[in-house]
Amino acid sequence: MQAEIIAVGSELLTSQRLDTNSLYLTDQLNALGVEVVTKCVVGDDRDRLADSIRRAFRSAQIVIITGGLGPTEDDVTRDAVAQALSRKQRFHEEIAGQLEERFQKMGRKMAEVNKRQAFIIEGAEILPNDRGTAPGQWIDEAGASLLLLPGPPHEMKAMFTLQCLPRLESRVPKLAIRTLVMRVAGMPESDLDQLIAPVYKKYENPVTTILAAAGDIQVHLRARCGTEAEALALLAEVAAPIGQLLGDRIYSRNGEPMEAVVGELLRQHRAPVSVAESCTGGLLAERLTSVPGSSDYFEAGFVTYTRRLKAELLGVTTNPLVSKETAEAMAVGARQRTGSTYALSTTGVAGPGQGGETAPVGTVYVAIADESGSRVSHRQFLGDRDRIRQFTTQMALDMLRRRILGL
Ligand code: AMP
Ligand code: MG
């Protein structure tokens, strides 16, 4: 079964408000085995919304609309649905009475406009709202279901889980949707795709999606099967040859981020780490310590920008500041001063200006020090400041991962 979600509200078309309702609903529907094939955001405009509803009905068996059920002039969902389905609306005295009671309990008099919320589309089932004023509505038409849910997330979630899910469960053919996420470091997206496309292109199910961020590529496999066991077996079948092709460039087979994977390795090996950062300005320490329990293995971070403090805090006397020698001296210095098993360091030019360095923007040196000495890697990254810094931390964490695993 396929679903479409329509988020209603002109505020959702600005940069000030984000449609989060559809994310929640997508998770819930996927868990049921329903695929969300389209979602859209429509402003508070009756005609446009009616058009979207008609279109959604042609392509999905479940259409969920959130928002626009309030009492004010800009709440047009009821009218738009009535228009799209050519149905009338009926005033429900009982709902109006309940609304009035709700206001009385709060010691307020209900404004006349609130009565608008007592209009129900002909043939709709009422979904009571115990957290707000706007009741939801459930409409069945021509083999499809249309759900009208309130916009405020806590009202929408309660109404959906308590009232809609049980109904959907009894109607939706059982289908298990499961996702497997592999994460890969140190590889350009196009190289990765070229390598694994011959495998995943053979399969329509699971669906493969490749998401690339700075130094981090995620391969998502989504399987849809009759049972969970079948879905997991299918994922394993496709993941095996992909895993073989990518080898140890895969750092996670369950979607965990690099800092969690590295953290777990450090914990297992009882090997604490410290960092000395220049161009990443603390981002490497931030990533390592963002993992709960990281105090088990993270010892210290030095953020040393100036030459004087690189010398005073880390004993660095090398030149220039962005160089292989400085990176190694920073890592060795951090390890000596903390006594950590491992120390990582970063130095580079994050840009956009060169800041007095002779090296071009994007030049990065990352070093690792351990009992056997130090080693350094050099890269030339492309991108803005954020991206170069992100790339650099990913490269440092991956160097540590490889070092611990002996790769
Ligand atoms: P409405 O039901 O359209 O009056 O919406 C009431 C409030 O719910 C809005 O002001 C938003 O704060 C919130 N809201 C509505 N739609 C969404 C959505 N799709 N995602 C997150 N919040 C929403
Ligand atoms: Mg609204």
Side-chain angles (χ1 to χ4, degrees):
M1 254 197 197
Q2 300 185 318
E4 170 155 352
I5 301 170
I6 304 174
V8 182
S10 295
E11 77 278 12
L12 303 171
L13 292 169
T14 69
S15 59
Q16 313 299 315
R17 281 285 171 92
L18 203 60
D19 156 36
T20 54
N21 285 348
S22 69
L23 304 180
Y24 174 82
L25 290 169
T26 301
D27 265 350
Q28 297 287 317
L29 289 165
N30 284 175
L32 262 188
V34 174
E35 185 141 36
V36 175
V37 288
T38 309
K39 66 174 182 173
C40 65
V41 175
V42 183
D44 299 308
D45 179 308
R46 195 187 60 192
D47 292 340
R48 277 187 213 279
L49 182 53
D51 274 347
S52 299
I53 294 165
R54 283 190 211 100
R55 183 189 41 71
F57 253 118
R58 284 197 292 273
S59 69
Q61 296 82 51
I62 299 170
V63 179
I64 304 183
I65 308 178
T66 74
L69 293 180
T72 58
E73 205 57 52
D74 64 357
D75 293 304
V76 296
T77 299
R78 281 177 297 265
D79 292 349
V81 172
Q83 182 178 326
L85 304 184
S86 305
R87 295 197 192 193
K88 291 196 172 59
Q89 297 184 63
R90 290 245 166 85
F91 183 71
H92 272 242
E93 288 292 351
E94 206 187 317
I95 295 176
Q98 287 163 359
L99 286 173
E100 227 148 343
E101 241 174 68
R102 201 181 150 85
F103 277 89
Q104 266 169 14
K105 272 190 200 157
M106 295 186 289
R108 285 162 49 196
K109 190 172 155 37
M110 186 173 91
E112 197 58 24
V113 288
N114 281 87
K115 287 197 173 164
R116 284 195 191 164
Q117 295 183 302
F119 279 93
I120 298 296
I121 314 240
E122 233 173 22
E125 265 186 79
I126 299 164
L127 305 172
N129 184 348
D130 56 5
R131 302 191 173 198
T133 52
Q137 305 191 31
W138 180 302
I139 300 163
D140 284 318
E141 163 134 341
S145 298
L146 176 64
L147 283 61
L148 277 57
L149 304 178
H154 73 289
E155 295 179 27
M156 183 281 296
K157 287 180 188 174
M159 192 177 287
F160 184 77
T161 40
L162 298 176
Q163 302 183 62
C164 304
L165 262 187
R167 283 170 214 239
L168 287 172
E169 269 164 358
S170 65
R171 296 177 187 209
V172 171
K174 287 278 166 272
L175 192 69
I177 301 182
R178 293 294 176 273
T179 305
L180 186 147
V181 178
M182 286 183 261
R183 298 180 74 156
V184 177
M187 203 177 176
E189 183 185 10
S190 46
D191 290 4
L192 176 136
D193 192 49
Q194 215 166 28
L195 195 61
I196 69 170
V199 176
Y200 72 71
K201 279 198 170 148
K202 284 192 286 199
Y203 295 86
E204 267 181 30
N205 183 24
V207 172
T208 302
T209 318
I210 298 174
L211 304 168
D216 186 27
I217 308 177
Q218 302 191 14
V219 181
H220 289 223
L221 307 177
R222 257 165 64 83
R224 289 171 294 134
C225 296
T227 65
E228 179 177 22
E230 283 175 87
L232 295 178
L234 182 59
L235 288 175
E237 177 187 323
V238 184
I242 291 179
Q244 241 166 16
L245 288 168
L246 294 172
D248 58 31
R249 283 173 289 205
I250 298 178
Y251 67 82
S252 165
R253 288 170 195 262
N254 60 5
E256 278 200 324
M258 180 69 95
E259 50 272 26
V261 171
V262 168
E264 194 46 40
L265 287 172
L266 291 167
R267 188 197 314 280
Q268 280 169 13
H269 287 76
R270 299 177 193 284
V273 67
S274 294
V275 301
E277 303 182 63
S278 194
C279 65
T280 50
L283 189 59
L284 184 53
E286 202 288 320
R287 284 187 68 180
L288 281 163
T289 56
S290 69
V291 182
S294 48
S295 54
D296 290 351
Y297 49 79
F298 183 82
E299 295 208 294
F302 302 82
V303 180
T304 52
Y305 249 43
T306 62
R307 184 182 304 277
R308 178 171 71 83
L309 284 150
K310 278 190 179 74
E312 275 181 32
L313 294 175
L314 299 168
V316 174
T317 54
T318 47
N319 263 315
L321 290 185
V322 176
S323 67
K324 170 180 179 296
E325 292 75 19
T326 299
E328 286 195 279
M330 286 171 71
V332 169
R335 184 166 179 273
Q336 276 170 356
R337 278 155 177 74
T338 57
S340 299
T341 309
Y342 295 106
L344 290 169
S345 72
T346 65
T347 180
V349 187
Q354 269 172 299
E357 290 295 334
T358 46
V361 172
T363 304
V364 166
Y365 295 90
V366 171
I368 183 168
D370 62 13
E371 60 177 1
S372 69
S374 63
R375 55 178 66 193
V376 65
S377 263
H378 165 232
R379 289 275 190 294
Q380 188 62 50
F381 291 126
L382 284 180
D384 62 15
R385 189 172 176 83
D386 269 356
R387 215 171 134 76
I388 290 170
R389 284 153 46 101
Q390 198 62 41
F391 259 125
T392 307
T393 58
Q394 186 76 354
M395 173 181 164
L397 293 172
D398 197 42
M399 268 174 84
L400 179 54
R401 176 184 75 96
R402 292 179 161 278
R403 184 81 203 136
I404 300 173
L405 293 173
L407 298 171

